[in-house]
């Protein structure tokens, strides 16, 4: 395999971007808010119990375990977010809070290294007895990620040592050898984390354990079947929904050729599989990643970069089954899809992976959080009618307003840790290449081979189509600056230091191979028109409909701009799509307006009639999907009907 | 209130009808099949346990209770169906089987009259402790219906006496008096049954109990809340779905103004409420029935006469929420809707109720059973893509082929008892009127006031638009023959004994007031064109779409005729709709063909693209909805997209 490209360290990337900074700037407040949640100090929200659980396990507080069996992971994701934030923004008070939390976590650790408050408090003596349902290895995975991030950010190894002790116990517990448990996690996550830990520590056994989990998964006889047939095993999960595909054990990983089951589990799993495939040079594993990724992107992904079209089991359903009003499309699943895509991009150097990564990040991940940074969506439909979604028991999972917190609060910290680490998605580098994957205004420093390079990107992408990149080196720096041509953009021209450049497009990247010296200015002009998107005609929910995008930003209609019954709009194929930048809306955004039709309320209250509905001319105003529901409750719609003849 | 009209006795109505007899003729085989099911003699089906339970309770067999807590009701509905069949078709062998079953039931009755095998076997000592969840009064209601029907059909009062003993116990147990339980059923049904028992026996206390159940329902403090707060009360039902509206206790019945909750419970309840309203002359109750009925018909009913748009809780959801692929639309709910409509029709003499009754019977009730009479749908979507419905966990409830039987087998016997009693829906009569509600070929005898009248109807409705009615009387018979103008028909002309008649249309009925003498021939010619139907634009699932009906028969596309991806079809507003009678198809049916378009498979496998899909001319062939899935598994679609410009 070709050498895998690497992200730049977060501390090397300073973002100041029109599209992103309004969200990233909310990270410190978001971390504070989450800390309050983890300590059950938010009013009128479901209790978290997180820190309570750790304090009880640490002997610092009396009480019982509260919350879900995977509650610990919320603390871990918060710590990981804190770490990413601290890496670029020194904040002694926050760091002190985190250090104190780490001490509590350390005290909650059992003598043999075991660290999971659910089993310590709620089911003592039952560790590892329910790998399928109880998320022990999942929580361990999140703590590994937190520990590595905190170590990278602060240089402090207290958490890393705590976690390594725990992982050493896990290594001693799991494996194919006599006396070890030949199992694997019901909720994958630890696989990708173990590879991070391997890189942070150089300990090969961590990679070996990740590989073991991947290799063992789906092998007959299934460990989960053995486990569930043991006396005393109980599970409240309906086996019609929580079946083998749900847990991605329906086949060995190398033989899985569709994206099945719980969407977050699936994409966390294949993120880790991609890591293991690369680290072990295993082409058959990498092939499975490519196949599953392609299945997602070609048949099972929403235009907004979300996945998991079925609510029952929060899972993938079937090819081309993409209902817009009842889907799950969990925020976490888009976070995970971006992670999976990032691995594939680094390994395959193909912009098709960056397209998906960008899509998930620009649309669903951002839709998951309010512009104020303190309200969250877990589920991300593309069509909402509050009067119906709030009443229908089939849409119980759809919230029509972002929530303050959740009893199962995986999404908020997942979004925050993603925002805090956006810098990792922008560039990929190796000794001879600097790939620009995403167009955010930022300044970055990096080493390309032995040369120090600084890059300053200025752009109003995706609202404007120009990008200026200043490349500075002190000495001769022969390397390739690879500029991604975004999926919905066309290249108009590239000018390097005033001279038009005619470069080759390779796997979606425009490659400027130069001996860079001093300061060069690269000016890119994309054509980034608003585009009409049509779905594959096999997508029953979207047939006869059209959606608008500008670059990665998917647009939607909202009731605040367009009145109610958005489904009544028709957008003619020849309607002019007028772009207008509104400085005041959502902190500044490009809107799109178009003349179309809207079925008129003709006063006929009958449910069925023999005359077709009358329609009248109507203007439509579109806003980026990620901003919906920042102006109160109302309808929202991404896929608009085309004009009926 | 005006006097309520009455059905003719079943034995007075002989049906020999193009549309119906192919189903009604399957009743005896269906009853045999069900008897096999009730005795667990069907191969490869979920076990019923019904007769087993009765035999164990009767001390005739060893074993434990099996099946659902409401399993007894399947036997009752079977007996009711047997009774209706025997009323028109003497069948000594079947009657002997039924008599033997009744003896077993009698032996299962407890000393004090109590009769419910679930509580007798599975939860002894806990009778009446869970009115909300355990269906005791529901099962009693079905036995009352069976007993009355069997007595009417055979003159044998064995079952009636058994049941009256049980109902007397119920009368002693429930009521507002000190020491009685002030409760009501979680699943209504007994209300309508008690009114039948009141008519069969003349015992006013049965009507009083029905009225008590209706009056008490929804009164604060709610009996169900009191019940559930008792020590030891357990319920496995998710309170977000199984909430107060689910059980129709969110408000007193008189204040309920929308159709809420479980669709079958709702419509059984309001069927009984209509009965109680009429018998007690209670206008406020009748008003509630009218309001709820109108809410169903104007905002919550499918074109196919089905109800219950949400699968979670098998229930009503919200106004205009009518998804076509994920709805519940239980066969039983359409049976119940026809019953509710029949009551309202008899009380209000308004054809709008007959339209709904006809719609439910001609479409969803028939769709619930195969043409061979031995396969059943429980759930009746209007759009099915088997590849998706068979895989999506959100569509677990949707079966893409009719089933042999169900663990919860309410629907098959409900359909059979309806087919066996179709005669009750055709006419309504009082001393001065004979209303013809449905146009089935049949011969009927009746008494209008003191005069004997026979009526012979010949028609190929809804395929042909002519109806001939021969009215015979021995003596002068001054009465009004009221002929319903069906909802989707227009009156072309009426000829009475060769002379054009110019009659008044009153509440949807053409009223021929005559002094009938000897034999008269009434010839009606409707215009019964295939019509395009459009939904109210608030129905998001149907906007931009059209459906075809011919009279009460809703049409659909099926994959067997049209290939796959039915959603890709477009039906232009000006396409000619050609009717053709196919003698060979489904035993003879009118088909509709039209020229339209179908989005072409252009070989582009991408999920999202910037060019609109190409389409090509394509012929569409429509069949009546009720016949779908009689030619193997495949797609089906009722609402077709209109042509996109």
């Amino acid at each position: 395999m070709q050498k895998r490209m690497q992200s730049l360290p977060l501390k090397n990337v300073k973002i100041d971007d029109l599209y992103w900074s309004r969200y990233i700037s909310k990270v410190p407040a978001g971390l504070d808010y989450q800390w309050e949640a983890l300590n059950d100090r938010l009013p009128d929200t479901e209790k978290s119990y997180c820190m309570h659980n750790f304090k009880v396990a640490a002997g610092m507080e009396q009480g019982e375990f509260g919350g879900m069996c995977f509650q610990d992971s919320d603390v871990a994701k918060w710590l990981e977010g804190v770490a990413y934030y601290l890496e670029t923004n020194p904040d002694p008070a926050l760091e002190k809070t985190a250090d104190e939390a780490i001490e509590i976590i350390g005290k909650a650790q059992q003598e043999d290294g075991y660290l999971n408050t659910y089993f310590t408090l709620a089911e003592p003596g039952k560790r590892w007895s329910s790998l399928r349902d109880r998320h022990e290895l999942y929580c361990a995975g999140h703590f590994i990620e937190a520990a590595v991030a905190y170590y990278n950010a602060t240089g402090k190894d207290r958490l890393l040592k705590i976690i390594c002790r725990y992982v050493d116990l896990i290594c001693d517990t799991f494996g194919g050898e006599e006396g070890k448990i030949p199992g694997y996690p019901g909720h994958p996550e630890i696989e990708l984390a173990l590879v991070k830990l391997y890189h942070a520590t150089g300990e090969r056994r961590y990679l070996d354990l990740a590989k073991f989990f991947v290799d063992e998964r789906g092998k007959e006889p299934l460990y989960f079947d053995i486990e569930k047939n043991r006396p005393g095993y109980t599970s409240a999960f309906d086996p019609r929904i929580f079946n083998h595909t749900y847990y991605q054990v329906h086949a060995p990983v190398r033989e899985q050729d569709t994206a099945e089951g719980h969407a977050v589990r699936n994409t966390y799993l294949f993120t880790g599989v991609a890591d293991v495939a690369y680290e072990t040079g295993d082409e058959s594993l990498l092939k499975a990643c490519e196949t599953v990724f392609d299945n997602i992107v070609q048949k099972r992904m929403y235009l907004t970069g979300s996945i998991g079209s079925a609510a029952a089991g929060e899972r993938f359903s079937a090819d081309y089954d993409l209902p817009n009003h009842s889907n799950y499309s969990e925020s976490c699943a888009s976070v995970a899809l971006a992670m999976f895509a990032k691995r594939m991009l680094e390994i395959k150097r193909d912009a098709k992976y960056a397209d998906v990564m960008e899509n998930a990040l620009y649309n669903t991940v951002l839709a998951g959080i309010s512009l104020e940074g303190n309200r969250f969506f877990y589920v991300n439909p593309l069509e909402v009618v509050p009067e119906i979604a709030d009443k229908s028991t089939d849409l119980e999972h759809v919230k029509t307003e972002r929530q303050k917190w959740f009893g199962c609060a995986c999404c908020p910290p997942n979004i925050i840790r993603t925002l805090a680490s956006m810098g990792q998605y922008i560039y990929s580098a190796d000794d001879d290449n600097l790939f620009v994957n995403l167009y955010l205004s930022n300044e970055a420093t990096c080493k390309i081979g032995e040369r120090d390079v600084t890059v300053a990107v200025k752009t109003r992408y995706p609202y404007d189509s120009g990008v200026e990149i200043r490349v500075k080196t002190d000495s001769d720096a022969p390397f390739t600056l690879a500029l991604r041509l975004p999926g919905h953009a066309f290249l108009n021209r590239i000018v390097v230091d005033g001279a038009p450049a005619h470069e080759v497009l390779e796997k979606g990247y425009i490659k400027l191979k130069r001996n860079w010296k001093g300061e060069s200015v690269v000016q890119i002009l994309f054509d980034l028109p608003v585009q009409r998107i049509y779905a594959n005609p096999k997508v029953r929910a979207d047939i006869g409909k059209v959606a608008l995008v500008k670059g990665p930003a998917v647009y939607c209609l909202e009731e605040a701009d367009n009145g109610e019954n958005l489904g009544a709009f028709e957008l003619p194929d020849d309607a002019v799509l007028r772009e207008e930048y509104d400085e005041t809306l959502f902190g500044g955004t490009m809107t799109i307006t178009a003349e179309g039709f809207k079925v008129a309320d003709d006063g006929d209250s009958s449910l069925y009639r023999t005359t077709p509905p009358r329609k009248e001319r109507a203007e439509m105003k579109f806003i980026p999907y990620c901003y919906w529901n920042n102006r109160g409750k109302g309808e929202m719609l991404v896929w608009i009907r085309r004009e009926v003849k």
Side-chain angles (χ1 to χ4, degrees), chain A residues 471-484:
Chain A
V471 181
K472 265 195 265 187
T473 61
D474 287 335
S475 55
D476 277 20
F479 70 91
T480 298
L481 183 69
L483 306 168
R484 175 172 156 260

Side-chain angles (χ1 to χ4, degrees), chain A residues 300-339:
Chain A
R300 301 187 174 199
M301 184 182 75
Y302 285 91
L303 183 61
T304 50
S306 73
I307 49 178
S309 45
E314 313 173 346
R315 54 184 285 173
F316 290 104
S317 57
D319 289 346
Y320 305 113
D321 177 39
L322 295 163
N324 292 308
H325 68 295
S326 62
N327 48 317
Y328 208 75
S329 291
E330 185 177 340
S331 302
C332 284
S334 287
V335 167
L337 181 60
M339 287 164 40

Side-chain angles (χ1 to χ4, degrees), chain A residues 218-434:
Chain A
K219 266 195 200 160
E220 293 286 353
L222 284 181
Y223 181 76
F224 289 165
D225 289 344
I226 296 166
E227 181 182 79
K228 120 181 132 146
N229 291 328
R230 290 203 188 109
Y233 189 90
T234 58
S235 173
F237 297 105
D238 180 345
R240 292 175 303 181
I241 293 165
F242 300 88
N243 53 12
H244 287 163
T245 51
Y246 175 86
Y247 300 101
Q248 296 86 38
V249 295
H250 53 289
V253 169
R254 286 170 185 77
E255 293 167 27
Q256 295 190 23
D257 54 6
T258 52
E260 298 296 343
H262 188 264
V264 177
R265 291 172 206 239
N266 183 292
T267 32
Y268 277 169
L269 171 63
F270 279 93
T271 300
V273 171
D275 285 334
V276 170
Y278 175 74
E279 298 298 339
T280 61
D282 189 328
E283 291 284 359
S284 66
L285 270 185
L286 190 61
K287 183 77 197 137
C289 293
E290 292 181 61
T291 304
V292 167
F293 191 94
D294 286 350
N295 177 249
I296 293 174
V297 175
Q298 291 169 11
K299 296 178 179 169
R300 301 187 174 199
M301 184 182 75
Y302 285 91
L303 183 61
T304 50
S306 73
I307 49 178
S309 45
E314 313 173 346
R315 54 184 285 173
F316 290 104
S317 57
D319 289 346
Y320 305 113
D321 177 39
L322 295 163
N324 292 308
H325 68 295
S326 62
N327 48 317
Y328 208 75
S329 291
E330 185 177 340
S331 302
C332 284
S334 287
V335 167
L337 181 60
M339 287 164 40
F340 182 20
K342 177 177 183 291
R343 265 57 168 194
M344 296 306 290
L345 171 64
E346 290 169 351
I347 296 168
K348 303 294 292 185
R349 305 181 179 214
D350 189 328
K352 79 175 192 182
Y353 297 108
D355 285 346
V356 172
M357 182 176 87
E358 184 185 50
N359 186 8
L361 292 169
Y362 273 72
N363 297 293
T364 300
V365 172
L366 287 187
I369 185 169
S370 67
L371 279 162
E372 294 197 348
N374 58 1
R375 296 290 183 276
F376 306 92
F377 276 136
Y378 198 108
V379 164
N380 295 280
L382 283 74
E383 169 175 346
V384 173
V385 180
E387 282 171 32
I388 289 173
D390 288 343
K391 279 204 78 176
S392 172
T393 46
D394 278 359
L395 302 178
E396 176 64 32
H397 59 291
V398 173
K399 302 301 169 206
T400 57
E401 296 195 279
R402 287 186 187 82
Q403 307 286 297
K404 287 183 185 175
W405 199 249
F406 306 90
C408 172
C410 51
C411 295
N414 224 346
I415 296 169
I416 293 284
R417 72 171 177 150
T418 304
L419 290 174
S421 63
M422 263 305 287
Q424 69 174 308
Y425 294 101
I426 301 176
Y427 300 99
S428 309
D430 69 3
D431 288 348
D432 306 304
N433 295 278
L434 180 64

Side-chain angles (χ1 to χ4, degrees), chain A residues 16-18 22 65 75 92 118 146 174 200 205 313 364 385 406 456 498 503 522 542 573 586 619 627 632 637-638:
Chain A
D16 181 10
D17 182 68
L18 175 66
R22 71 189 64 172
F65 180 87
V75 179
Y118 174 75
F174 290 90
R205 68 179 180 281
T364 300
V385 180
F406 306 90
E503 311 293 335
V522 179
D542 300 337
D573 281 0
F586 310 125
E619 187 167 84
Y627 296 139
L637 184 67
V638 169

Side-chain angles (χ1 to χ4, degrees), chain A residues 160-194:
Chain A
L160 190 65
K161 283 184 169 163
I162 291 168
I163 297 306
C164 281
R165 268 188 71 210
Y166 184 26
V167 179
D168 290 342
L169 173 70
I170 295 173
C171 286
D172 291 345
T173 304
F174 290 90
E177 301 90 340
E178 184 70 28
K180 289 189 170 184
I181 301 172
Y184 36 81
H187 195 316
E189 142 67 20
I190 196 170
E191 298 84 349
L192 73 93
L194 284 167

Side-chain angles (χ1 to χ4, degrees), chain A residues 396-519:
Chain A
E396 176 64 32
H397 59 291
V398 173
K399 302 301 169 206
T400 57
E401 296 195 279
R402 287 186 187 82
Q403 307 286 297
K404 287 183 185 175
W405 199 249
F406 306 90
C408 172
C410 51
C411 295
N414 224 346
I415 296 169
I416 293 284
R417 72 171 177 150
T418 304
L419 290 174
S421 63
M422 263 305 287
Q424 69 174 308
Y425 294 101
I426 301 176
Y427 300 99
S428 309
D430 69 3
D431 288 348
D432 306 304
N433 295 278
L434 180 64
F435 277 49
V436 183
N437 305 315
L438 300 181
Y439 294 100
L440 279 71
S441 290
N442 75 93
E443 291 186 19
T445 57
C446 55
K447 262 199 160 25
I448 305 297
E450 293 306 306
R451 280 80 56 187
D452 288 314
V453 178
T454 68
V455 184
V457 179
K458 281 175 83 171
T459 181
R460 289 169 62 87
Y461 177 93
Y463 297 141
D464 287 352
S465 43
V467 181
E468 181 194 272
I469 304 178
R470 287 176 184 265
V471 181
K472 265 195 265 187
T473 61
D474 287 335
S475 55
D476 277 20
F479 70 91
T480 298
L481 183 69
L483 306 168
R484 175 172 156 260
L485 177 61
H488 291 295
F490 308 94
L491 182 60
N492 187 313
R493 63 174 180 275
I494 296 188
V495 174
V496 182
D497 293 332
H502 303 283
E503 311 293 335
V504 181
L505 188 72
E506 196 182 336
K507 288 188 185 170
Y509 282 85
I510 306 148
K511 299 210 165 164
L512 304 182
K513 190 171 181 183
R514 295 282 191 284
N515 188 5
W516 304 92
K517 226 187 292 189
E519 182 175 87

Side-chain angles (χ1 to χ4, degrees), chain A residues 51-262:
Chain A
M51 290 312 298
H52 164 79
N53 292 336
F54 275 101
K55 285 177 186 166
V56 175
M60 300 165 67
E61 223 171 84
Q62 293 297 308
E64 294 188 347
F65 180 87
M68 311 278 192
C69 65
F70 46 83
Q71 216 68 8
D72 287 1
S73 63
D74 291 348
V75 179
K77 277 192 280 189
W78 175 78
L79 274 172
E80 191 188 347
V82 167
Y84 296 146
Y85 179 70
L86 292 178
E87 192 170 339
T88 39
N89 304 272
D91 185 332
L94 179 62
E95 189 167 333
K96 184 160 172 284
T97 302
D99 285 340
E100 287 166 4
I102 289 167
E103 286 311 312
I104 295 167
I105 291 163
K107 285 189 187 143
Q109 186 164 36
Q110 306 296 288
E111 290 220 345
D112 63 354
Y114 185 80
L115 180 56
N116 180 296
T117 71
Y118 174 75
F119 279 96
T120 299
L121 301 177
E123 293 204 68
K126 294 211 172 167
R127 314 175 170 174
W128 318 128
S129 68
S130 178
L131 296 183
R132 197 189 70 176
D133 296 341
R134 296 287 201 284
H135 290 69
E136 244 162 332
L137 294 169
Y138 166 85
C139 290
H142 275 302
F143 267 112
I144 295 168
E145 286 204 89
V148 171
Y150 204 74
Y151 174 68
N152 286 343
T154 64
K156 295 176 183 171
D157 64 0
R158 174 84 177 106
L159 184 60
L160 190 65
K161 283 184 169 163
I162 291 168
I163 297 306
C164 281
R165 268 188 71 210
Y166 184 26
V167 179
D168 290 342
L169 173 70
I170 295 173
C171 286
D172 291 345
T173 304
F174 290 90
E177 301 90 340
E178 184 70 28
K180 289 189 170 184
I181 301 172
Y184 36 81
H187 195 316
E189 142 67 20
I190 196 170
E191 298 84 349
L192 73 93
L194 284 167
V195 179
K196 285 189 176 184
L197 191 62
Y198 159 60
H199 283 294
T201 63
E203 295 288 351
R204 175 83 196 186
R205 68 179 180 281
Y206 300 143
L207 173 62
D208 291 342
L209 182 60
K211 177 173 156 52
F212 175 79
F213 286 146
V214 168
D215 287 344
E216 209 59 23
R217 193 169 204 93
K219 266 195 200 160
E220 293 286 353
L222 284 181
Y223 181 76
F224 289 165
D225 289 344
I226 296 166
E227 181 182 79
K228 120 181 132 146
N229 291 328
R230 290 203 188 109
Y233 189 90
T234 58
S235 173
F237 297 105
D238 180 345
R240 292 175 303 181
I241 293 165
F242 300 88
N243 53 12
H244 287 163
T245 51
Y246 175 86
Y247 300 101
Q248 296 86 38
V249 295
H250 53 289
V253 169
R254 286 170 185 77
E255 293 167 27
Q256 295 190 23
D257 54 6
T258 52
E260 298 296 343
H262 188 264

